Amino acid sequence: MINAIVASTSTIHGSSYLEYLKPALKELYKASNEVVFIPYARPSGLTHDEYTKIAENGLKDLGVKVIGLHTFKNPQLALTNAKAIFTGGGNTFQLVHMLHQLNLMETLKEAIIKGTPYLGTSAGSNICGPTMQTTNDMPVVYPSSFKTTGIIPFNINAHYLDPDTSSTHKGETRETRVKEFHIYNSTTVLGLREGTWLKVKGDDIILEGDLTARVFIKQKPPYEVEKGFNFKELI
């Protein structure tokens, strides 16, 4: 049974790394004393060791040991045997490129489906949908496939932003970009605002956090859903 947190971001304004998620993480990792961290998204070009240290510091008060996946000789076996997993944010193209290059995407999917507790933030959440095609990130590298784990049946647009009516900026909005995606694709997209996350437990996919989320279904007007909404109704 899937047991996952799919979060828009790791850090919200005025809060330290993972702080706003701590109550949910205590529940997620309550039976785990060790977390395998996937550092491949490498925000700002951090090394894998540097990024793993950030994750370690963020989870230290939960009493779990954090081990970077890059340190294992056999990363596939490491994911298969992991007691818990955390994929951090950064660049989704880089993350997906590495997961496919190392033949880990399907291994990760299988680990999550069998019930290994999983936390994804930002890029680590983008890979929870069927594809990574609704990421906001620059294509810094060309993955062999845009296909991701599909542990949830819709795509995520993490860090979703509403149009700023007070701004003079006339460029494309996130909603515009999702409409462009739907010209060629039929997958439903969820705009996850900062400070919101999905609690995935079995077939239930519940919206958590203080803000609403925006649902985009092809050829239908987008709409808002409130905290507590169960997205299995969209399936």
Side-chain angles (χ1 to χ4, degrees), residues 25-121:
L25 295 182
K26 287 178 181 178
E27 175 65 22
L28 179 70
Y29 290 149
K30 65 181 179 182
S32 309
N33 59 10
E34 184 179 283
V35 175
V36 173
F37 177 64
I38 302 177
Y40 299 146
R42 299 182 64 177
S44 303
L46 288 174
T47 68
H48 294 152
D49 285 338
E50 289 170 338
Y51 198 11
T52 301
K53 188 64 178 179
I54 291 173
E56 182 181 11
N57 289 336
L59 295 174
K60 64 182 179 181
D61 59 346
L62 296 185
V64 297
K65 181 181 181 181
V66 177
I67 307 174
L69 183 59
H70 65 290
T71 64
F72 289 89
K73 290 184 178 179
N74 188 333
Q76 287 183 317
L77 187 61
L79 286 182
T80 298
N81 294 335
K83 298 177 181 178
I85 301 170
F86 170 25
T87 305
N91 188 285
T92 308
F93 286 89
Q94 170 69 17
L95 172 61
V96 172
H97 169 70
M98 289 293 294
L99 289 174
H100 281 304
Q101 186 178 59
L102 297 172
N103 295 315
L104 294 175
M105 192 68 77
E106 192 64 27
T107 304
L108 177 59
K109 176 180 179 177
E110 290 171 0
I112 298 171
I113 287 175
K114 78 176 184 182
T116 304
Y118 177 81
L119 167 65
T121 60

Side-chain angles (χ1 to χ4, degrees), residues 22-230:
K22 285 296 174 62
L25 295 182
K26 287 178 181 178
E27 175 65 22
L28 179 70
Y29 290 149
K30 65 181 179 182
S32 309
N33 59 10
E34 184 179 283
V35 175
V36 173
F37 177 64
I38 302 177
Y40 299 146
R42 299 182 64 177
S44 303
L46 288 174
T47 68
H48 294 152
D49 285 338
E50 289 170 338
Y51 198 11
T52 301
K53 188 64 178 179
I54 291 173
E56 182 181 11
N57 289 336
L59 295 174
K60 64 182 179 181
D61 59 346
L62 296 185
V64 297
K65 181 181 181 181
V66 177
I67 307 174
L69 183 59
H70 65 290
T71 64
F72 289 89
K73 290 184 178 179
N74 188 333
Q76 287 183 317
L77 187 61
L79 286 182
T80 298
N81 294 335
K83 298 177 181 178
I85 301 170
F86 170 25
T87 305
N91 188 285
T92 308
F93 286 89
Q94 170 69 17
L95 172 61
V96 172
H97 169 70
M98 289 293 294
L99 289 174
H100 281 304
Q101 186 178 59
L102 297 172
N103 295 315
L104 294 175
M105 192 68 77
E106 192 64 27
T107 304
L108 177 59
K109 176 180 179 177
E110 290 171 0
I112 298 171
I113 287 175
K114 78 176 184 182
T116 304
Y118 177 81
L119 167 65
T121 60
S122 189
S125 294
N126 289 338
I127 63 170
C128 291
T131 75
M132 59 158 287
Q133 289 170 272
T134 51
T135 179
N136 307 306
D137 300 321
M138 288 186 176
V140 298
V141 66
Y142 191 12
S144 60
S145 172
F146 291 148
K147 183 179 179 182
T148 45
T149 65
I151 64 160
I152 56 176
F154 47 84
N155 271 9
I156 296 292
N157 179 251
H159 312 284
Y160 181 78
L161 290 173
D162 297 292
D164 182 357
T165 56
S166 65
S167 174
T168 58
H169 173 68
K170 296 301 180 183
E172 296 81 357
T173 65
R174 292 286 173 80
E175 187 162 321
T176 301
R177 291 302 192 202
V178 175
K179 288 179 179 178
E180 291 169 352
F181 168 78
H182 275 152
I183 292 173
Y184 297 100
N185 305 273
S186 60
T187 306
T188 295
V189 180
L190 179 66
L192 267 184
R193 296 182 174 92
E194 300 287 68
T196 59
W197 69 96
L198 301 177
K199 180 179 179 180
V200 187
K201 198 82 168 178
D203 293 331
D204 292 317
I205 309 171
I206 309 295
L207 178 65
E208 300 285 357
D210 296 330
L211 299 175
T212 59
R214 195 157 182 83
V215 178
F216 298 90
I217 299 175
K218 186 171 184 174
Q219 297 180 336
K220 292 185 179 181
Y223 62 92
E224 298 288 316
V225 291
E226 303 281 342
K227 176 180 179 179
F229 182 82
N230 193 336

